[in-house]
Amino acid sequence: MPAEPQVRVFASPEHLFRAGAERFCSIGSQAIRERGRFAVALSGGSTPRGLYEELVRDFSSQLPWQNVFFFWSDERHVPPSDPESNYRMANETLLSRLSIPSDHIFRIPAEIPNAGAAAQAYEQTLREVFRPAPGSFPRFDLILLGMGPDGHTASLFPGTTALEEKQHWVVANWVEKFSTFRITFTYPVLNCAASVMFLISGGDKAAMVGRALKDSASNLPCQGVKPVDGELNWFLDQAAAAKL
Ligand code: 6PG
């Protein structure tokens, strides 16, 4: 059965990031105990910065970080040195602060000029690391996601072609409003995860959070995330939950 959202509301962004860090580490510890590794896909945007900083500040001894494998659920079509790069933000606030073996960091090669080729290259990387049975999808232990004010998640934006993708794991998605491609996981990968955690902060998201969690007919991109055999957490701060 597709998972129903488990919603938790926290008093402040600080409480939200602390709870997110605790959940990150408890899922990670269990995955490493059971499978020797923790495969996690990081989200982009600005909200996760608070989580990454919290992990470094208070949770650096909570996980054997050499057993954590890092991926991204989406990326902007820019090189890793670009200020817009999701990889760059995570590297500056998390990865470079913890002793992560470089061969456990699988960033999206978004510097490749052809966005479609970048998506294909990343799918090939996932195939080599996960080696799932033919016809099945990679199962992440945890996928972190955010939500935009328009209800997009990862780089699955309203009205874009990637929303319909059923086969490919990673695609280049043209986003008209930004006149650019984004490289993003598709729903089959998001919904194959053992755990998905939305981390959403701020009053500017309240209206869309309200629609996403109370109006199933809204058909928002974030509503398409329902792990088929996993858990779905919506971690919100009070401002983001104001319309619930
Ligand atoms: C990206 C993201 C995107 C993000 C939302 C929320 O690359 O931008 O993956 O889906 O999570 O846009 O962004 P903020 O956290 O900045 O509000």
mmCIF file of all heavy atoms in Angstrom, residues 43-48 73-76 86 145-149 152-157 182 199 201 204-205, ligand 1:
data_model
loop_
_atom_site.group_PDB
_atom_site.id
_atom_site.type_symbol
_atom_site.label_atom_id
_atom_site.label_comp_id
_atom_site.label_asym_id
_atom_site.label_seq_id
_atom_site.Cartn_x
_atom_site.Cartn_y
_atom_site.Cartn_z
ATOM 1 N N SER A 43 18.544 16.325 -0.587
ATOM 2 C CA SER A 43 17.723 17.223 -1.401
ATOM 3 C C SER A 43 18.474 18.527 -1.604
ATOM 4 O O SER A 43 19.475 18.800 -0.952
ATOM 5 C CB SER A 43 16.383 17.486 -0.711
ATOM 6 O OG SER A 43 16.591 18.158 0.497
ATOM 7 N N GLY A 44 17.959 19.306 -2.502
ATOM 8 C CA GLY A 44 18.596 20.587 -2.804
ATOM 9 C C GLY A 44 17.813 21.717 -2.176
ATOM 10 O O GLY A 44 17.062 21.523 -1.225
ATOM 11 N N GLY A 45 18.014 22.928 -2.721
ATOM 12 C CA GLY A 45 17.344 24.096 -2.177
ATOM 13 C C GLY A 45 18.062 24.580 -0.922
ATOM 14 O O GLY A 45 19.131 24.082 -0.574
ATOM 15 N N SER A 46 17.432 25.491 -0.189
ATOM 16 C CA SER A 46 18.072 26.124 0.985
ATOM 17 C C SER A 46 17.715 25.443 2.297
ATOM 18 O O SER A 46 18.516 25.418 3.227
ATOM 19 C CB SER A 46 17.650 27.589 1.035
ATOM 20 O OG SER A 46 16.222 27.657 1.089
ATOM 21 N N THR A 47 16.514 24.856 2.409
ATOM 22 C CA THR A 47 16.066 24.323 3.700
ATOM 23 C C THR A 47 17.018 23.292 4.301
ATOM 24 O O THR A 47 17.331 23.341 5.498
ATOM 25 C CB THR A 47 14.649 23.712 3.561
ATOM 26 O OG1 THR A 47 13.776 24.710 3.020
ATOM 27 C CG2 THR A 47 14.109 23.226 4.891
ATOM 28 N N PRO A 48 17.574 22.341 3.511
ATOM 29 C CA PRO A 48 18.411 21.302 4.130
ATOM 30 C C PRO A 48 19.708 21.830 4.769
ATOM 31 O O PRO A 48 20.319 21.113 5.567
ATOM 32 C CB PRO A 48 18.745 20.351 2.978
ATOM 33 C CG PRO A 48 18.055 20.823 1.787
ATOM 34 C CD PRO A 48 17.395 22.106 2.072
ATOM 35 N N SER A 73 18.850 13.784 -5.002
ATOM 36 C CA SER A 73 17.574 13.484 -5.673
ATOM 37 C C SER A 73 17.343 14.425 -6.855
ATOM 38 O O SER A 73 16.489 14.167 -7.689
ATOM 39 C CB SER A 73 16.411 13.585 -4.676
ATOM 40 O OG SER A 73 16.469 14.789 -3.956
ATOM 41 N N ASP A 74 18.111 15.510 -6.901
ATOM 42 C CA ASP A 74 18.055 16.383 -8.079
ATOM 43 C C ASP A 74 19.207 17.374 -8.048
ATOM 44 O O ASP A 74 19.872 17.549 -7.026
ATOM 45 C CB ASP A 74 16.712 17.121 -8.173
ATOM 46 C CG ASP A 74 16.612 18.299 -7.229
ATOM 47 O OD1 ASP A 74 17.060 18.172 -6.071
ATOM 48 O OD2 ASP A 74 16.093 19.349 -7.658
ATOM 49 N N GLU A 75 19.420 17.982 -9.217
ATOM 50 C CA GLU A 75 20.492 18.963 -9.324
ATOM 51 C C GLU A 75 20.165 20.004 -10.389
ATOM 52 O O GLU A 75 19.435 19.715 -11.347
ATOM 53 C CB GLU A 75 21.828 18.267 -9.648
ATOM 54 C CG GLU A 75 23.080 19.115 -9.676
ATOM 55 C CD GLU A 75 23.374 19.851 -8.371
ATOM 56 O OE1 GLU A 75 22.707 20.890 -8.180
ATOM 57 O OE2 GLU A 75 24.201 19.404 -7.550
ATOM 58 N N ARG A 76 20.671 21.173 -10.168
ATOM 59 C CA ARG A 76 20.554 22.209 -11.204
ATOM 60 C C ARG A 76 21.601 21.900 -12.278
ATOM 61 O O ARG A 76 22.631 21.316 -11.978
ATOM 62 C CB ARG A 76 20.824 23.599 -10.597
ATOM 63 C CG ARG A 76 19.709 24.058 -9.637
ATOM 64 C CD ARG A 76 19.905 23.518 -8.213
ATOM 65 N NE ARG A 76 18.815 23.895 -7.329
ATOM 66 C CZ ARG A 76 18.765 24.995 -6.591
ATOM 67 N NH1 ARG A 76 19.745 25.862 -6.663
ATOM 68 N NH2 ARG A 76 17.750 25.242 -5.803
ATOM 69 N N ASN A 86 23.476 22.148 -5.901
ATOM 70 C CA ASN A 86 23.044 21.466 -4.677
ATOM 71 C C ASN A 86 24.202 20.684 -4.060
ATOM 72 O O ASN A 86 24.343 20.613 -2.836
ATOM 73 C CB ASN A 86 21.885 20.512 -4.992
ATOM 74 C CG ASN A 86 20.612 21.245 -5.317
ATOM 75 O OD1 ASN A 86 20.413 22.385 -4.908
ATOM 76 N ND2 ASN A 86 19.736 20.595 -6.078
ATOM 77 N N LEU A 145 13.633 15.245 0.840
ATOM 78 C CA LEU A 145 12.970 16.084 -0.149
ATOM 79 C C LEU A 145 12.540 17.397 0.478
ATOM 80 O O LEU A 145 12.300 17.475 1.687
ATOM 81 C CB LEU A 145 11.745 15.375 -0.734
ATOM 82 C CG LEU A 145 11.989 14.157 -1.621
ATOM 83 C CD1 LEU A 145 10.650 13.510 -1.997
ATOM 84 C CD2 LEU A 145 12.764 14.527 -2.871
ATOM 85 N N GLY A 146 12.432 18.399 -0.376
ATOM 86 C CA GLY A 146 11.845 19.665 0.032
ATOM 87 C C GLY A 146 10.599 19.876 -0.804
ATOM 88 O O GLY A 146 10.211 19.012 -1.605
ATOM 89 N N MET A 147 9.961 21.010 -0.632
ATOM 90 C CA MET A 147 8.800 21.361 -1.465
ATOM 91 C C MET A 147 8.870 22.844 -1.769
ATOM 92 O O MET A 147 9.130 23.659 -0.859
ATOM 93 C CB MET A 147 7.480 21.034 -0.739
ATOM 94 C CG MET A 147 6.253 21.277 -1.599
ATOM 95 S SD MET A 147 4.748 21.485 -0.602
ATOM 96 C CE MET A 147 5.042 23.139 0.070
ATOM 97 N N GLY A 148 8.617 23.175 -3.023
ATOM 98 C CA GLY A 148 8.617 24.578 -3.422
ATOM 99 C C GLY A 148 7.226 25.179 -3.226
ATOM 100 O O GLY A 148 6.252 24.430 -3.057
ATOM 101 N N PRO A 149 7.090 26.496 -3.261
ATOM 102 C CA PRO A 149 5.785 27.155 -3.087
ATOM 103 C C PRO A 149 4.757 26.753 -4.148
ATOM 104 O O PRO A 149 3.565 26.920 -3.936
ATOM 105 C CB PRO A 149 6.126 28.646 -3.186
ATOM 106 C CG PRO A 149 7.594 28.729 -2.950
ATOM 107 C CD PRO A 149 8.182 27.440 -3.450
ATOM 108 N N HIS A 152 6.234 21.790 -6.149
ATOM 109 C CA HIS A 152 7.221 20.879 -6.754
ATOM 110 C C HIS A 152 8.077 20.224 -5.677
ATOM 111 O O HIS A 152 8.213 20.743 -4.567
ATOM 112 C CB HIS A 152 8.106 21.616 -7.757
ATOM 113 C CG HIS A 152 9.238 22.401 -7.171
ATOM 114 N ND1 HIS A 152 9.170 23.756 -6.940
ATOM 115 C CD2 HIS A 152 10.472 22.008 -6.730
ATOM 116 C CE1 HIS A 152 10.301 24.171 -6.427
ATOM 117 N NE2 HIS A 152 11.110 23.141 -6.278
ATOM 118 N N THR A 153 8.653 19.065 -6.020
ATOM 119 C CA THR A 153 9.614 18.421 -5.146
ATOM 120 C C THR A 153 10.713 17.822 -6.002
ATOM 121 O O THR A 153 10.472 17.553 -7.192
ATOM 122 C CB THR A 153 8.979 17.358 -4.243
ATOM 123 O OG1 THR A 153 9.924 16.956 -3.252
ATOM 124 C CG2 THR A 153 8.506 16.148 -5.039
ATOM 125 N N ALA A 154 11.911 17.591 -5.439
ATOM 126 C CA ALA A 154 13.073 17.292 -6.271
ATOM 127 C C ALA A 154 13.015 18.313 -7.409
ATOM 128 O O ALA A 154 12.816 19.504 -7.111
ATOM 129 C CB ALA A 154 13.063 15.843 -6.736
ATOM 130 N N SER A 155 13.155 17.885 -8.673
ATOM 131 C CA SER A 155 12.902 18.839 -9.757
ATOM 132 C C SER A 155 11.729 18.386 -10.602
ATOM 133 O O SER A 155 11.749 18.480 -11.842
ATOM 134 C CB SER A 155 14.163 19.074 -10.583
ATOM 135 O OG SER A 155 15.024 19.983 -9.916
ATOM 136 N N LEU A 156 10.721 17.881 -9.892
ATOM 137 C CA LEU A 156 9.452 17.505 -10.524
ATOM 138 C C LEU A 156 8.504 18.681 -10.353
ATOM 139 O O LEU A 156 7.909 18.853 -9.290
ATOM 140 C CB LEU A 156 8.903 16.229 -9.871
ATOM 141 C CG LEU A 156 9.791 14.990 -9.974
ATOM 142 C CD1 LEU A 156 9.251 13.853 -9.115
ATOM 143 C CD2 LEU A 156 9.938 14.544 -11.429
ATOM 144 N N PHE A 157 8.457 19.529 -11.396
ATOM 145 C CA PHE A 157 7.672 20.766 -11.338
ATOM 146 C C PHE A 157 6.314 20.545 -12.000
ATOM 147 O O PHE A 157 6.178 19.710 -12.904
ATOM 148 C CB PHE A 157 8.419 21.895 -12.053
ATOM 149 C CG PHE A 157 9.581 22.445 -11.279
ATOM 150 C CD1 PHE A 157 10.808 21.789 -11.295
ATOM 151 C CD2 PHE A 157 9.457 23.596 -10.522
ATOM 152 C CE1 PHE A 157 11.889 22.277 -10.580
ATOM 153 C CE2 PHE A 157 10.524 24.098 -9.790
ATOM 154 C CZ PHE A 157 11.752 23.434 -9.825
ATOM 155 N N ARG A 182 16.632 20.723 -15.391
ATOM 156 C CA ARG A 182 17.044 20.217 -14.083
ATOM 157 C C ARG A 182 17.249 18.717 -14.259
ATOM 158 O O ARG A 182 16.634 18.098 -15.130
ATOM 159 C CB ARG A 182 15.955 20.457 -13.040
ATOM 160 C CG ARG A 182 15.761 21.918 -12.630
ATOM 161 C CD ARG A 182 16.823 22.344 -11.628
ATOM 162 N NE ARG A 182 16.495 23.628 -11.008
ATOM 163 C CZ ARG A 182 15.857 23.789 -9.842
ATOM 164 N NH1 ARG A 182 15.430 22.725 -9.192
ATOM 165 N NH2 ARG A 182 15.646 24.984 -9.335
ATOM 166 N N LEU A 199 11.279 17.841 4.420
ATOM 167 C CA LEU A 199 11.695 18.804 5.437
ATOM 168 C C LEU A 199 11.252 20.162 4.923
ATOM 169 O O LEU A 199 11.754 20.635 3.892
ATOM 170 C CB LEU A 199 13.222 18.750 5.572
ATOM 171 C CG LEU A 199 13.860 19.057 6.910
ATOM 172 C CD1 LEU A 199 13.433 18.056 7.967
ATOM 173 C CD2 LEU A 199 15.377 19.073 6.782
ATOM 174 N N SER A 201 10.093 24.221 5.846
ATOM 175 C CA SER A 201 10.152 25.295 6.835
ATOM 176 C C SER A 201 9.675 26.606 6.230
ATOM 177 O O SER A 201 9.929 26.883 5.060
ATOM 178 C CB SER A 201 11.607 25.467 7.303
ATOM 179 O OG SER A 201 11.765 26.621 8.103
ATOM 180 N N ASP A 204 6.003 30.814 3.925
ATOM 181 C CA ASP A 204 5.724 30.911 2.479
ATOM 182 C C ASP A 204 5.306 29.565 1.899
ATOM 183 O O ASP A 204 4.811 29.499 0.775
ATOM 184 C CB ASP A 204 6.947 31.458 1.740
ATOM 185 C CG ASP A 204 8.141 30.505 1.848
ATOM 186 O OD1 ASP A 204 8.276 29.864 2.925
ATOM 187 O OD2 ASP A 204 8.913 30.370 0.885
ATOM 188 N N LYS A 205 5.468 28.515 2.681
ATOM 189 C CA LYS A 205 5.080 27.176 2.209
ATOM 190 C C LYS A 205 3.725 26.735 2.790
ATOM 191 O O LYS A 205 3.189 25.710 2.397
ATOM 192 C CB LYS A 205 6.147 26.161 2.635
ATOM 193 C CG LYS A 205 7.575 26.479 2.192
ATOM 194 C CD LYS A 205 7.797 26.162 0.745
ATOM 195 C CE LYS A 205 9.190 26.533 0.283
ATOM 196 N NZ LYS A 205 10.266 25.716 0.864
HETATM 197 C C1 6PG B 1 16.101 22.244 -5.665
HETATM 198 C C2 6PG B 1 15.326 21.273 -4.851
HETATM 199 C C3 6PG B 1 13.881 21.691 -4.693
HETATM 200 C C4 6PG B 1 13.776 22.263 -3.302
HETATM 201 C C5 6PG B 1 12.535 23.138 -3.181
HETATM 202 C C6 6PG B 1 12.497 23.852 -1.856
HETATM 203 O O1 6PG B 1 17.074 21.853 -6.296
HETATM 204 O O2 6PG B 1 15.738 23.424 -5.609
HETATM 205 O O3 6PG B 1 15.625 20.047 -4.831
HETATM 206 O O4 6PG B 1 12.976 20.675 -4.858
HETATM 207 O O5 6PG B 1 13.732 21.220 -2.347
HETATM 208 O O6 6PG B 1 12.606 24.093 -4.221
HETATM 209 O O7 6PG B 1 13.571 24.731 -1.843
HETATM 210 P P1 6PG B 1 13.899 25.614 -0.542
HETATM 211 O O8 6PG B 1 14.345 24.663 0.491
HETATM 212 O O9 6PG B 1 14.993 26.515 -0.995
HETATM 213 O O10 6PG B 1 12.632 26.333 -0.160
#
